[in-house]
Amino acid sequence: MASNAAVPFWRAAGMTYITYSNICANLVRNCLKEPYKTEALTREKVHFAVSKWVDSKPQKSTIRSDTEEE
């Protein structure tokens, strides 16, 4: 019975749900008119800190960004 079950189209296309939702979010952001488009694009940027751990103690943190321009 499981072989006849419907498969979500994003999975049938070989994508994960996260990849599919990121593509949809980018499409929606690009369809917005100004000033909403620039506001949405600035919210898209993500910054995070990475720390190496040595002997169960965190070392100096490094700030990283997911944007290519920085």
Side-chain angles (χ1 to χ4, degrees):
M1 225 198 262
S3 62
N4 294 335
V7 177
F9 65 90
W10 49 267
R11 187 171 303 264
M15 289 189 251
T16 63
Y17 182 75
I18 297 296
T19 305
Y20 164 72
S21 64
N22 283 337
I23 291 170
C24 291
N26 285 332
L27 289 171
V28 169
R29 283 186 209 107
N30 289 330
C31 291
L32 292 172
K33 293 182 180 181
E34 292 298 338
Y36 307 109
K37 184 175 185 175
T38 22
E39 184 180 327
L41 289 174
T42 56
R43 282 194 308 251
E44 181 184 18
K45 297 177 185 175
V46 176
H47 303 284
F48 55 96
V50 177
S51 299
K52 286 190 177 185
W53 287 69
V54 178
D55 297 326
S56 300
K57 296 180 182 175
Q59 302 299 308
K60 183 180 176 189
S61 296
T62 305
I63 305 295
R64 301 240 175 129
S65 177
D66 69 340
T67 57
E68 296 176 10
E69 59 203 32
E70 293 180 14

